[in-house]
Amino acid sequence: ILLNILLYVPLGWHLVRWHRWPVAWVVAAGLGLSCVTEYTQVFSHERFATTTDVVTNGLGTLAGAFAAVRASARSGDRSGGL
């Protein structure tokens, strides 16, 4: 579970900090990517899809997005992510 969160933090950070996406869009993109990934696992014999993975990946994206917003606020860049 922790690995799922940590793997999606950079996605949230990158989309907010460098592409200036709003946090809601970033979380939606992270959840969408996670859903597609889990859907492809339906066809795999070694892996299985779980909703826990989707939720934790979404939380990781959200954590990265909030970290980017905080970093933007600290550096004086008020345009990042809100």
Side-chain angles (χ1 to χ4, degrees):
I1 292 176
L2 181 61
L3 184 59
N4 284 357
I5 292 171
L6 293 176
L7 285 173
Y8 274 72
V9 167
L11 176 67
W13 173 275
H14 180 76
L15 291 178
V16 169
R17 188 80 170 149
W18 302 112
H19 291 288
R20 304 283 192 240
W21 284 19
V23 171
W25 289 13
V26 171
V27 173
L31 287 171
L33 177 63
S34 182
C35 285
V36 168
T37 303
E38 294 300 310
Y39 178 73
T40 61
Q41 290 181 6
V42 170
F43 303 103
S44 173
H45 294 291
E46 294 89 30
R47 307 277 305 173
F48 55 93
T50 66
T51 54
T52 303
D53 287 347
V54 174
V55 171
T56 56
N57 293 343
L59 289 173
T61 307
L62 181 63
F66 278 143
V69 167
R70 286 193 56 134
S72 293
R74 285 185 179 179
S75 69
D77 179 11
R78 302 289 179 192
S79 64
L82 296 177

